[in-house]
Structure formats: structure tokens, C-alpha cells
Amino acid sequence: MGTVLWMGIWWVMMPVAPAITAFIPVAVNALFSLTPMSNVISCYSAELVFLLAGSDLITMVWNKTGVDKRIAAKTLSLVGTSVKQQVLVWFLLATLMSAILPNAVIATVLCSIAMSMLRFAGEGDVKSSRVTPLVLLAIVWGANNGGMLTPLGGAMNLITVSYIEELVQGELLYSDWTVRMLPFGLAVTVVTAAFLMFMDCGRKSLDGSKEYFRELYNGLPKMGRAGMFSLIAFILATLLSFTRQLYQAWIPGLKPGYIFFIFGMLMFLLRDDDNEPVITWEQAEADLMWGLFFLFAGGTALGAIVNGSGAAEAFAALISRISFSSEFILILILVTLNVILSDVINNTSCAAVTIPIVIGIVQGLRLPVMPYLWIATASYNISYTLPTSIRAIPVGYGLEPEYMFRRGLLITAVQILLVSTIGWLCIRFWPAFGVLSA
């Protein structure tokens, strides 16, 4: 737990680069052997690391060939240049897509496209821009929130599904999940959108107008072979990731991360109009966002230490000794602890750590388990402050962790209270909340 606190403070205060902080689990585990080192090291080659690397290689070619300008001009001609409108559209798009698709894929894809648009609009310097950080926050917060609406929204949901099916000794219907999570999802989405709309972005609109960008798009030169290859590669990788269920039985190992990585590797093999490689290793070595890969992995590695060291069990024993004066206080404490832990490690690792804790505490108090699993699941999707899990993706593009932390503190407090209140109301006044049709 000391390592959790250490990394959390360093990610906010940034005495060193966030990617350096991400390697603390390796050093700590080497000194104290908290868990087998293979559990920690494997996190730095997790599937999402390859997804980010593959996506980065493809979009690197966009920047080289001008595909990013095409995407930017088209996006601006359709959505418009109002900053508030841009923020709301990106947020809602991320929320809706992440309800049925993995939130890590959604955040990666949309951040890539949004950064292409913002660079073209003169807002590519994240540190000096007041618009770009807000758009990136909108995407990653939307992808985070929307994940709770269906079991398909992220790996943490699948962990919950496995525990629920073990408890009921049957299959969980996705309709059961959506119906019970809908009150949480709608309320959290509305509150998050309101926060984004009230944040100061420094300007009302981006330079230009819809008509200007429409004319600019129509006047762009014909796309070359390299640009066409990179655009097709990105589209195919995205489609294959989203339709994995169609071929999963035949190629079980072809997960979204490896799909993007394969198409990214193709950029080294394909040739442009001058018969030169679309991208060279020298270009990739210089431009890949190495820090982003390590930053994401660091949170996962921290989760491995918390899980493997016995800290989770000690934490559960400590909570179980608390005398809860009311059911609402119990819900509030569980939601708060889940949110804090999912912020510091990541929501998938948090689910793996805390669901057994929640079940143990609730059973010890002789309360029905199922309602508390739904509430816990909602709490894994309201993390806003630290650059772990999918929140590492905008930081990889230059978003300051301190900016994310400051903007995320108030909304975190509000969402904790909101989810706790909705959960308590559902337990008290919705008899079917803890009953499954399965």
C-alpha cells in the first residue's frame, strides 16, 4: 500500500516523468519480493501496450503523408468549430461506442483522430492549448463512463460477470446487466457532460468555419499510396477489433491489441509511390510514444503487486472490522475505496482485487450480495484523476497529469456520492435490482 501511495503522489507532483514512476513496481518487487517477478514484468508487455504501439505506428504515417489533415478537415466540416460542441460530440461518441466495445480501443482510436484534427486546427501543442486537454479529457472520460452500460465495455466488466455467474450458477443475460446499470450510466453521463460544459476552455471556437474546412478538404491533393495504406490499415484494424466475436473461435489469439500491432508492422513492409518504405525504423524510433506504453503498464504492474502481496486480503480484513451504522455508509465506503484504488492501479486490476472483498464483507454482514456487485461495477467506471488504465492514453499525447488530477477531483467526489445514492435507492425501492432473470 506504500507503493500505491508513492506512485499516486509522484504521478500528480511529477518529480520525474510519469513513465519513470511507472517502473517503480519493478524496483520495489526486486527488493522485497512481494509477488513473483514474472507477474510484474508481464504487465509491461500486456495486450494494450501492443495496441497503442500499433496505432501509433499507423497514425505516424498519417502525419507524414497528410492523412491527418484530411481527417481533420472532414471532421471540422461536419461537427463544426464550436469548442463546446466539439467537446460534447467527442464525449458522447466515446460514451456510446464504449458501451458495446472495449473502452481501451475506443480511447486509443478517438484520441488518435482527435489529435489529428486539433493539430490541423492549430491546437496540437497540448501544454499551451486550453482546448486540446479538454477534448482529450472528454474522450477518455466518455470511454470510461460508457463501459459500465454493457458487459462488453471493458475487461473489468468480464471479471464481474464471472463472479455473478459463479454466484447464481447460471449465465448472466446481457439484458439483465444493461437494465440494472442503466440508472448509474445515465446519471453519470449527464453529470460528466455538465462538468465538461462548464469547464473553461479559453475560447469559444476554433479558427475557421464549416464552409472553410469543407472547401479546404475538397482542395486537398489526391492521396498517395502511403496515405491510402495507412488509412486502410487503421480502418481494417478497427473493424477487425470490433467484430472479434465473428472469428474468435478460429483465431482465439488474435485480440485487438495484436491486430493493431500487425497492421502497424505492415507500415515497415509496404512501399510508397517512390518505392520507399512507408515508414522506417529510424522514424519510428524517434516518434513512437514510448512513455505512453510504460505509463499504462505501470498501473497494471502496481495492481499485480497489490494482488500478489496479500495487501488486498489485509485491506478486506481491516474494512470488515468497521462497524457500519447504516447501509448507505457501507455503500459510500465501498464505492469510495473502489474509486480510489481503480484510479491508482486500473479498473480491471481493481475489480480483480476488490470484488472478492465486497463479496466477503457483504456476506459477513448477512446482506444480499448481488446489489452490491452492481454498485461496485458502477464504481469501477468513475475514475477521473490519475494517469492509469485508459487515462494514460491522453497523457501520452502530452496532457499534464496534474491537469487531469485537478479537473478530476471535484467530479470524482460528486460521482462517488451520486453512485452511492443511486445504489442505496435501488436497494431500498427496486426489488428486482438484486434478482436476475437467469
Side-chain angles (χ1 to χ4, degrees):
M1 298 313 294
T3 308
V4 169
L5 184 62
W6 178 7
M7 292 178 68
I9 292 173
W10 271 26
W11 267 328
V12 175
M13 305 302 293
M14 283 183 62
V16 295
I20 302 300
T21 302
F23 283 104
I24 288 176
V26 177
V28 168
N29 199 57
L31 289 170
F32 298 104
S33 299
L34 302 176
T35 189
M37 185 59 86
S38 59
N39 294 346
V40 177
I41 294 298
S42 63
C43 297
Y44 295 86
S45 58
E47 180 199 342
L48 185 56
V49 173
F50 289 94
L51 189 153
L52 296 170
S55 173
D56 200 8
L57 286 169
I58 296 171
T59 54
M60 196 183 302
V61 182
W62 288 8
N63 182 256
K64 176 183 174 182
T65 60
V67 171
D68 56 348
K69 294 181 181 179
R70 290 180 175 275
I71 294 173
K74 191 65 175 178
T75 303
L76 289 166
S77 70
L78 293 173
V79 177
T81 56
S82 165
V83 173
K84 295 293 186 183
Q85 187 174 331
Q86 284 281 341
V87 170
L88 187 60
V89 168
W90 286 110
F91 169 71
L92 292 176
L93 184 62
T95 301
L96 293 172
M97 293 181 70
S98 64
I100 56 174
L101 303 166
N103 55 11
V105 178
I106 296 303
T108 302
V109 170
L110 293 187
C111 281
S112 297
I113 297 173
M115 281 305 301
S116 296
M117 178 204 73
L118 292 163
R119 288 191 195 102
F120 184 64
E123 299 287 340
D125 188 348
V126 182
K127 290 181 174 59
S128 62
S129 171
R130 297 177 69 180
V131 176
T132 303
L134 198 54
V135 172
L136 292 176
L137 275 188
I139 292 172
V140 77
W141 284 2
N144 198 61
N145 291 353
M148 76 172 74
L149 293 173
T150 75
L152 302 174
M156 66 285 180
N157 294 349
L158 301 180
I159 293 173
T160 304
V161 168
S162 67
Y163 276 101
I164 290 176
E165 291 183 339
E166 183 178 337
L167 281 171
V168 301
Q169 293 296 303
E171 182 182 355
L172 170 66
L173 300 179
Y174 281 17
S175 57
D176 272 333
W177 177 293
T178 300
V179 168
R180 282 151 186 79
M181 295 304 296
L182 196 58
F184 298 101
L186 290 177
V188 166
T189 297
V190 170
V191 168
T192 307
F195 264 84
L196 289 167
M197 290 297 97
F198 281 107
M199 285 184 186
D200 181 21
C201 54
R203 57 191 301 187
K204 291 185 177 181
S205 63
L206 302 172
D207 295 334
S209 64
K210 275 189 176 184
E211 292 73 20
Y212 168 77
F213 288 109
R214 190 176 296 115
E215 292 176 5
L216 186 63
Y217 178 81
N218 293 331
L220 288 172
K222 184 180 178 181
M223 188 185 301
R225 186 189 298 174
M228 186 68 71
F229 284 152
S230 65
L231 185 59
I232 291 173
F234 194 88
I235 293 172
L236 286 177
T238 303
L239 288 174
L240 286 171
S241 297
F242 292 167
T243 57
R244 174 168 155 71
Q245 67 274 13
L246 299 178
Y247 57 85
Q248 184 175 7
W250 291 279
I251 319 177
L254 192 61
K255 297 179 179 180
Y258 310 131
I259 292 170
F260 270 90
F261 188 70
I262 289 170
F263 279 101
M265 292 292 288
L266 280 177
M267 297 300 101
F268 293 105
L269 305 177
L270 298 173
R271 299 278 170 166
D272 62 17
D273 295 315
D274 299 322
N275 203 33
E276 296 292 331
V278 170
I279 195 170
T280 65
W281 172 248
E282 289 72 23
Q283 293 168 331
E285 189 176 25
D287 296 335
L288 274 172
M289 294 185 290
W290 300 101
L292 171 58
F293 312 151
F294 303 137
L295 182 59
F296 170 82
T300 308
L302 181 57
I305 285 182
V306 172
N307 254 338
S309 64
E313 290 79 2
F315 200 50
L318 182 64
I319 296 173
S320 63
R321 296 193 194 105
I322 301 174
S323 178
F324 297 102
S325 58
S326 73
E327 197 169 31
F328 178 77
I329 296 300
L330 170 62
I331 293 170
L332 184 63
I333 290 174
L334 291 177
V335 170
T336 302
L337 293 176
N338 281 347
V339 170
I340 292 172
L341 194 57
S342 62
D343 249 330
V344 178
I345 49 178
N346 62 58
N347 43 19
T348 302
S349 297
C350 181
V353 169
T354 61
I355 285 182
I357 295 175
V358 171
I359 293 173
I361 291 173
V362 172
Q363 287 180 336
L365 295 171
R366 302 185 183 282
L367 295 169
V369 174
M370 197 65 65
Y372 289 88
L373 287 183
W374 294 127
I375 296 169
T377 300
S379 69
Y380 302 137
N381 292 271
I382 53 171
S383 305
Y384 303 95
T385 57
L386 293 179
T388 54
S389 190
I390 63 171
R391 294 177 300 282
I393 295 171
V395 173
Y397 284 102
L399 182 68
E400 294 284 354
E402 189 263 346
Y403 175 94
M404 180 185 292
F405 183 78
R406 283 190 292 108
R407 297 301 188 280
L409 271 180
L410 179 59
I411 189 174
T412 296
V414 172
Q415 300 285 33
I416 286 173
L417 186 59
L418 179 67
V419 167
S420 299
T421 302
I422 293 174
W424 180 78
L425 290 172
C426 287
I427 290 175
R428 292 295 299 271
F429 302 107
W430 186 8
F433 185 59
V435 180
L436 297 181
S437 59

